[in-house]
PDB file of all heavy atoms in Angstrom:
ATOM      1  N   SER A  25     -25.112  31.839  55.847  1.00 93.00           N
ATOM      2  CA  SER A  25     -24.768  31.620  54.434  1.00 93.00           C
ATOM      3  C   SER A  25     -23.316  31.222  54.246  1.00 93.00           C
ATOM      4  O   SER A  25     -22.957  30.597  53.244  1.00 93.00           O
ATOM      5  CB  SER A  25     -25.053  32.888  53.628  1.00 93.00           C
ATOM      6  OG  SER A  25     -24.298  33.978  54.119  1.00 93.00           O
ATOM      7  N   VAL A  26     -22.462  31.548  55.240  1.00 92.00           N
ATOM      8  CA  VAL A  26     -21.037  31.247  55.084  1.00 92.00           C
ATOM      9  C   VAL A  26     -20.794  29.740  55.008  1.00 92.00           C
ATOM     10  O   VAL A  26     -19.866  29.289  54.325  1.00 92.00           O
ATOM     11  CB  VAL A  26     -20.219  31.893  56.223  1.00 92.00           C
ATOM     12  CG1 VAL A  26     -20.421  31.173  57.548  1.00 92.00           C
ATOM     13  CG2 VAL A  26     -18.736  31.919  55.867  1.00 92.00           C
ATOM     14  N   LEU A  27     -21.610  28.928  55.692  1.00 93.00           N
ATOM     15  CA  LEU A  27     -21.442  27.477  55.616  1.00 93.00           C
ATOM     16  C   LEU A  27     -21.599  27.004  54.176  1.00 93.00           C
ATOM     17  O   LEU A  27     -20.803  26.195  53.686  1.00 93.00           O
ATOM     18  CB  LEU A  27     -22.447  26.760  56.507  1.00 93.00           C
ATOM     19  CG  LEU A  27     -22.455  25.226  56.344  1.00 93.00           C
ATOM     20  CD1 LEU A  27     -21.163  24.626  56.874  1.00 93.00           C
ATOM     21  CD2 LEU A  27     -23.663  24.600  57.024  1.00 93.00           C
ATOM     22  N   PHE A  28     -22.600  27.517  53.487  1.00 94.00           N
ATOM     23  CA  PHE A  28     -22.883  27.042  52.133  1.00 94.00           C
ATOM     24  C   PHE A  28     -21.877  27.603  51.123  1.00 94.00           C
ATOM     25  O   PHE A  28     -21.606  26.964  50.109  1.00 94.00           O
ATOM     26  CB  PHE A  28     -24.323  27.384  51.780  1.00 94.00           C
ATOM     27  CG  PHE A  28     -25.289  26.744  52.735  1.00 94.00           C
ATOM     28  CD1 PHE A  28     -25.783  27.449  53.822  1.00 94.00           C
ATOM     29  CD2 PHE A  28     -25.641  25.417  52.587  1.00 94.00           C
ATOM     30  CE1 PHE A  28     -26.630  26.852  54.739  1.00 94.00           C
ATOM     31  CE2 PHE A  28     -26.493  24.802  53.488  1.00 94.00           C
ATOM     32  CZ  PHE A  28     -26.988  25.513  54.566  1.00 94.00           C
ATOM     33  N   GLU A  29     -21.303  28.759  51.441  1.00 93.00           N
ATOM     34  CA  GLU A  29     -20.215  29.260  50.612  1.00 93.00           C
ATOM     35  C   GLU A  29     -18.997  28.352  50.736  1.00 93.00           C
ATOM     36  O   GLU A  29     -18.326  28.045  49.747  1.00 93.00           O
ATOM     37  CB  GLU A  29     -19.867  30.690  51.013  1.00 93.00           C
ATOM     38  CG  GLU A  29     -20.954  31.699  50.684  1.00 93.00           C
ATOM     39  CD  GLU A  29     -20.567  33.098  51.084  1.00 93.00           C
ATOM     40  OE1 GLU A  29     -20.829  33.485  52.246  1.00 93.00           O
ATOM     41  OE2 GLU A  29     -19.994  33.820  50.255  1.00 93.00           O
ATOM     42  N   ILE A  30     -18.714  27.911  51.961  1.00 93.00           N
ATOM     43  CA  ILE A  30     -17.597  26.991  52.187  1.00 93.00           C
ATOM     44  C   ILE A  30     -17.830  25.677  51.450  1.00 93.00           C
ATOM     45  O   ILE A  30     -16.900  25.081  50.889  1.00 93.00           O
ATOM     46  CB  ILE A  30     -17.409  26.740  53.696  1.00 93.00           C
ATOM     47  CG1 ILE A  30     -16.880  28.012  54.380  1.00 93.00           C
ATOM     48  CG2 ILE A  30     -16.453  25.573  53.948  1.00 93.00           C
ATOM     49  CD1 ILE A  30     -16.820  27.903  55.884  1.00 93.00           C
ATOM     50  N   LEU A  31     -19.097  25.229  51.434  1.00 93.00           N
ATOM     51  CA  LEU A  31     -19.446  23.977  50.759  1.00 93.00           C
ATOM     52  C   LEU A  31     -19.621  24.164  49.249  1.00 93.00           C
ATOM     53  O   LEU A  31     -20.006  23.228  48.555  1.00 93.00           O
ATOM     54  CB  LEU A  31     -20.738  23.409  51.355  1.00 93.00           C
ATOM     55  CG  LEU A  31     -20.685  23.018  52.838  1.00 93.00           C
ATOM     56  CD1 LEU A  31     -22.050  22.542  53.308  1.00 93.00           C
ATOM     57  CD2 LEU A  31     -19.631  21.952  53.074  1.00 93.00           C
ATOM     58  N   GLU A  32     -19.344  25.403  48.785  1.00 91.00           N
ATOM     59  CA  GLU A  32     -19.455  25.741  47.362  1.00 91.00           C
ATOM     60  C   GLU A  32     -20.879  25.539  46.850  1.00 91.00           C
ATOM     61  O   GLU A  32     -21.123  25.062  45.751  1.00 91.00           O
ATOM     62  CB  GLU A  32     -18.446  24.948  46.522  1.00 91.00           C
ATOM     63  CG  GLU A  32     -17.004  25.239  46.913  1.00 91.00           C
ATOM     64  CD  GLU A  32     -15.992  24.509  46.038  1.00 91.00           C
ATOM     65  OE1 GLU A  32     -16.404  23.603  45.292  1.00 91.00           O
ATOM     66  OE2 GLU A  32     -14.804  24.859  46.107  1.00 91.00           O
ATOM     67  N   GLN A  33     -21.825  25.912  47.713  1.00 93.00           N
ATOM     68  CA  GLN A  33     -23.229  25.947  47.332  1.00 93.00           C
ATOM     69  C   GLN A  33     -23.705  27.395  47.323  1.00 93.00           C
ATOM     70  O   GLN A  33     -23.002  28.302  47.779  1.00 93.00           O
ATOM     71  CB  GLN A  33     -24.073  25.134  48.323  1.00 93.00           C
ATOM     72  CG  GLN A  33     -23.711  23.657  48.395  1.00 93.00           C
ATOM     73  CD  GLN A  33     -24.579  22.912  49.395  1.00 93.00           C
ATOM     74  OE1 GLN A  33     -25.702  23.314  49.696  1.00 93.00           O
ATOM     75  NE2 GLN A  33     -24.067  21.808  49.914  1.00 93.00           N
ATOM     76  N   SER A  34     -24.877  27.645  46.828  1.00 93.00           N
ATOM     77  CA  SER A  34     -25.412  29.005  46.794  1.00 93.00           C
ATOM     78  C   SER A  34     -25.648  29.517  48.212  1.00 93.00           C
ATOM     79  O   SER A  34     -26.221  28.798  49.048  1.00 93.00           O
ATOM     80  CB  SER A  34     -26.732  29.034  46.024  1.00 93.00           C
ATOM     81  OG  SER A  34     -27.367  30.284  46.190  1.00 93.00           O
ATOM     82  N   PRO A  35     -25.203  30.744  48.517  1.00 92.00           N
ATOM     83  CA  PRO A  35     -25.454  31.308  49.852  1.00 92.00           C
ATOM     84  C   PRO A  35     -26.937  31.363  50.203  1.00 92.00           C
ATOM     85  O   PRO A  35     -27.299  31.310  51.381  1.00 92.00           O
ATOM     86  CB  PRO A  35     -24.863  32.719  49.750  1.00 92.00           C
ATOM     87  CG  PRO A  35     -23.874  32.651  48.638  1.00 92.00           C
ATOM     88  CD  PRO A  35     -24.428  31.655  47.666  1.00 92.00           C
ATOM     89  N   THR A  36     -27.796  31.465  49.196  1.00 94.00           N
ATOM     90  CA  THR A  36     -29.238  31.525  49.467  1.00 94.00           C
ATOM     91  C   THR A  36     -29.776  30.233  50.053  1.00 94.00           C
ATOM     92  O   THR A  36     -30.890  30.199  50.579  1.00 94.00           O
ATOM     93  CB  THR A  36     -30.014  31.858  48.173  1.00 94.00           C
ATOM     94  OG1 THR A  36     -29.757  30.827  47.198  1.00 94.00           O
ATOM     95  CG2 THR A  36     -29.575  33.199  47.606  1.00 94.00           C
ATOM     96  N   GLN A  37     -28.977  29.167  49.981  1.00 95.00           N
ATOM     97  CA  GLN A  37     -29.386  27.890  50.576  1.00 95.00           C
ATOM     98  C   GLN A  37     -29.613  28.045  52.081  1.00 95.00           C
ATOM     99  O   GLN A  37     -30.382  27.299  52.690  1.00 95.00           O
ATOM    100  CB  GLN A  37     -28.314  26.826  50.315  1.00 95.00           C
ATOM    101  CG  GLN A  37     -28.709  25.408  50.663  1.00 95.00           C
ATOM    102  CD  GLN A  37     -29.731  24.821  49.697  1.00 95.00           C
ATOM    103  OE1 GLN A  37     -30.033  25.419  48.669  1.00 95.00           O
ATOM    104  NE2 GLN A  37     -30.267  23.662  50.029  1.00 95.00           N
ATOM    105  N   ALA A  38     -28.952  29.036  52.673  1.00 95.00           N
ATOM    106  CA  ALA A  38     -29.105  29.282  54.112  1.00 95.00           C
ATOM    107  C   ALA A  38     -30.541  29.639  54.474  1.00 95.00           C
ATOM    108  O   ALA A  38     -30.970  29.436  55.618  1.00 95.00           O
ATOM    109  CB  ALA A  38     -28.167  30.399  54.557  1.00 95.00           C
ATOM    110  N   ASN A  39     -31.295  30.156  53.499  1.00 95.00           N
ATOM    111  CA  ASN A  39     -32.696  30.504  53.766  1.00 95.00           C
ATOM    112  C   ASN A  39     -33.563  29.277  54.039  1.00 95.00           C
ATOM    113  O   ASN A  39     -34.674  29.402  54.538  1.00 95.00           O
ATOM    114  CB  ASN A  39     -33.274  31.280  52.576  1.00 95.00           C
ATOM    115  CG  ASN A  39     -32.574  32.606  52.351  1.00 95.00           C
ATOM    116  OD1 ASN A  39     -32.103  33.225  53.304  1.00 95.00           O
ATOM    117  ND2 ASN A  39     -32.486  33.028  51.101  1.00 95.00           N
ATOM    118  N   HIS A  40     -33.026  28.107  53.732  1.00 95.00           N
ATOM    119  CA  HIS A  40     -33.774  26.870  53.949  1.00 95.00           C
ATOM    120  C   HIS A  40     -33.612  26.344  55.379  1.00 95.00           C
ATOM    121  O   HIS A  40     -34.250  25.367  55.742  1.00 95.00           O
ATOM    122  CB  HIS A  40     -33.292  25.776  52.984  1.00 95.00           C
ATOM    123  CG  HIS A  40     -33.566  26.078  51.546  1.00 95.00           C
ATOM    124  ND1 HIS A  40     -33.527  25.099  50.569  1.00 95.00           N
ATOM    125  CD2 HIS A  40     -33.888  27.225  50.898  1.00 95.00           C
ATOM    126  CE1 HIS A  40     -33.791  25.650  49.385  1.00 95.00           C
ATOM    127  NE2 HIS A  40     -34.003  26.936  49.578  1.00 95.00           N
ATOM    128  N   TYR A  41     -32.724  26.978  56.164  1.00 95.00           N
ATOM    129  CA  TYR A  41     -32.298  26.373  57.420  1.00 95.00           C
ATOM    130  C   TYR A  41     -32.495  27.287  58.620  1.00 95.00           C
ATOM    131  O   TYR A  41     -32.515  28.510  58.511  1.00 95.00           O
ATOM    132  CB  TYR A  41     -30.815  25.994  57.352  1.00 95.00           C
ATOM    133  CG  TYR A  41     -30.537  24.778  56.510  1.00 95.00           C
ATOM    134  CD1 TYR A  41     -30.379  24.894  55.130  1.00 95.00           C
ATOM    135  CD2 TYR A  41     -30.445  23.512  57.076  1.00 95.00           C
ATOM    136  CE1 TYR A  41     -30.135  23.785  54.336  1.00 95.00           C
ATOM    137  CE2 TYR A  41     -30.194  22.395  56.293  1.00 95.00           C
ATOM    138  CZ  TYR A  41     -30.037  22.539  54.932  1.00 95.00           C
ATOM    139  OH  TYR A  41     -29.793  21.428  54.153  1.00 95.00           O
ATOM    140  N   LEU A  42     -32.598  26.618  59.776  1.00 93.00           N
ATOM    141  CA  LEU A  42     -32.499  27.270  61.075  1.00 93.00           C
ATOM    142  C   LEU A  42     -31.238  26.748  61.751  1.00 93.00           C
ATOM    143  O   LEU A  42     -31.033  25.531  61.842  1.00 93.00           O
ATOM    144  CB  LEU A  42     -33.722  26.960  61.943  1.00 93.00           C
ATOM    145  CG  LEU A  42     -35.060  27.513  61.439  1.00 93.00           C
ATOM    146  CD1 LEU A  42     -36.195  26.988  62.304  1.00 93.00           C
ATOM    147  CD2 LEU A  42     -35.032  29.034  61.436  1.00 93.00           C
ATOM    148  N   PHE A  43     -30.386  27.651  62.210  1.00 92.00           N
ATOM    149  CA  PHE A  43     -29.160  27.247  62.902  1.00 92.00           C
ATOM    150  C   PHE A  43     -29.392  27.308  64.397  1.00 92.00           C
ATOM    151  O   PHE A  43     -29.957  28.271  64.912  1.00 92.00           O
ATOM    152  CB  PHE A  43     -28.005  28.176  62.516  1.00 92.00           C
ATOM    153  CG  PHE A  43     -26.739  27.885  63.282  1.00 92.00           C
ATOM    154  CD1 PHE A  43     -25.940  26.802  62.944  1.00 92.00           C
ATOM    155  CD2 PHE A  43     -26.351  28.690  64.343  1.00 92.00           C
ATOM    156  CE1 PHE A  43     -24.778  26.526  63.647  1.00 92.00           C
ATOM    157  CE2 PHE A  43     -25.186  28.418  65.052  1.00 92.00           C
ATOM    158  CZ  PHE A  43     -24.401  27.335  64.700  1.00 92.00           C
ATOM    159  N   SER A  44     -28.978  26.255  65.102  1.00 87.00           N
ATOM    160  CA  SER A  44     -29.214  26.223  66.546  1.00 87.00           C
ATOM    161  C   SER A  44     -28.246  25.263  67.205  1.00 87.00           C
ATOM    162  O   SER A  44     -27.466  24.578  66.557  1.00 87.00           O
ATOM    163  CB  SER A  44     -30.651  25.778  66.838  1.00 87.00           C
ATOM    164  OG  SER A  44     -30.836  24.426  66.435  1.00 87.00           O
ATOM    165  N   SER A  45     -28.314  25.256  68.536  1.00 82.00           N
ATOM    166  CA  SER A  45     -27.703  24.174  69.303  1.00 82.00           C
ATOM    167  C   SER A  45     -28.846  23.359  69.875  1.00 82.00           C
ATOM    168  O   SER A  45     -29.945  23.872  70.064  1.00 82.00           O
ATOM    169  CB  SER A  45     -26.815  24.720  70.428  1.00 82.00           C
ATOM    170  OG  SER A  45     -27.586  25.478  71.331  1.00 82.00           O
ATOM    171  N   VAL A  46     -28.609  22.090  70.123  1.00 82.00           N
ATOM    172  CA  VAL A  46     -29.707  21.231  70.564  1.00 82.00           C
ATOM    173  C   VAL A  46     -29.213  20.279  71.643  1.00 82.00           C
ATOM    174  O   VAL A  46     -28.066  19.822  71.615  1.00 82.00           O
ATOM    175  CB  VAL A  46     -30.287  20.426  69.369  1.00 82.00           C
ATOM    176  CG1 VAL A  46     -29.259  19.486  68.793  1.00 82.00           C
ATOM    177  CG2 VAL A  46     -31.558  19.677  69.779  1.00 82.00           C
ATOM    178  N   GLU A  47     -30.055  20.038  72.626  1.00 76.00           N
ATOM    179  CA  GLU A  47     -29.689  19.163  73.740  1.00 76.00           C
ATOM    180  C   GLU A  47     -29.845  17.702  73.347  1.00 76.00           C
ATOM    181  O   GLU A  47     -30.801  17.317  72.683  1.00 76.00           O
ATOM    182  CB  GLU A  47     -30.576  19.457  74.945  1.00 76.00           C
ATOM    183  CG  GLU A  47     -30.218  18.627  76.165  1.00 76.00           C
ATOM    184  CD  GLU A  47     -31.101  18.940  77.360  1.00 76.00           C
ATOM    185  OE1 GLU A  47     -31.994  19.800  77.219  1.00 76.00           O
ATOM    186  OE2 GLU A  47     -30.897  18.314  78.407  1.00 76.00           O
ATOM    187  N   ILE A  48     -28.852  16.896  73.747  1.00 77.00           N
ATOM    188  CA  ILE A  48     -28.927  15.448  73.579  1.00 77.00           C
ATOM    189  C   ILE A  48     -29.076  14.860  74.973  1.00 77.00           C
ATOM    190  O   ILE A  48     -28.132  14.830  75.758  1.00 77.00           O
ATOM    191  CB  ILE A  48     -27.657  14.882  72.906  1.00 77.00           C
ATOM    192  CG1 ILE A  48     -27.347  15.661  71.639  1.00 77.00           C
ATOM    193  CG2 ILE A  48     -27.821  13.414  72.597  1.00 77.00           C
ATOM    194  CD1 ILE A  48     -26.050  15.250  70.995  1.00 77.00           C
ATOM    195  N   LYS A  49     -30.266  14.405  75.286  1.00 72.00           N
ATOM    196  CA  LYS A  49     -30.558  13.996  76.662  1.00 72.00           C
ATOM    197  C   LYS A  49     -29.708  12.827  77.115  1.00 72.00           C
ATOM    198  O   LYS A  49     -29.218  12.789  78.239  1.00 72.00           O
ATOM    199  CB  LYS A  49     -32.044  13.650  76.778  1.00 72.00           C
ATOM    200  CG  LYS A  49     -32.963  14.839  76.525  1.00 72.00           C
ATOM    201  CD  LYS A  49     -34.424  14.432  76.577  1.00 72.00           C
ATOM    202  CE  LYS A  49     -35.341  15.617  76.284  1.00 72.00           C
ATOM    203  NZ  LYS A  49     -36.769  15.217  76.263  1.00 72.00           N
ATOM    204  N   GLU A  50     -29.522  11.838  76.232  1.00 66.00           N
ATOM    205  CA  GLU A  50     -28.797  10.636  76.636  1.00 66.00           C
ATOM    206  C   GLU A  50     -27.347  10.920  77.025  1.00 66.00           C
ATOM    207  O   GLU A  50     -26.762  10.217  77.832  1.00 66.00           O
ATOM    208  CB  GLU A  50     -28.817   9.592  75.509  1.00 66.00           C
ATOM    209  CG  GLU A  50     -30.169   8.937  75.301  1.00 66.00           C
ATOM    210  CD  GLU A  50     -31.053   9.722  74.342  1.00 66.00           C
ATOM    211  OE1 GLU A  50     -30.793  10.922  74.138  1.00 66.00           O
ATOM    212  OE2 GLU A  50     -32.004   9.132  73.801  1.00 66.00           O
TER     213      GLU A  50
END
Side-chain angles (χ1 to χ4, degrees):
S25 60
V26 73
L27 173 68
F28 300 96
E29 292 181 272
I30 290 173
L31 297 177
E32 299 183 347
Q33 299 180 25
S34 170
T36 60
Q37 190 72 9
N39 297 329
H40 295 197
Y41 286 85
L42 295 173
F43 175 77
S44 66
S45 62
V46 64
E47 182 179 0
I48 309 175
K49 296 177 182 177
E50 288 88 340

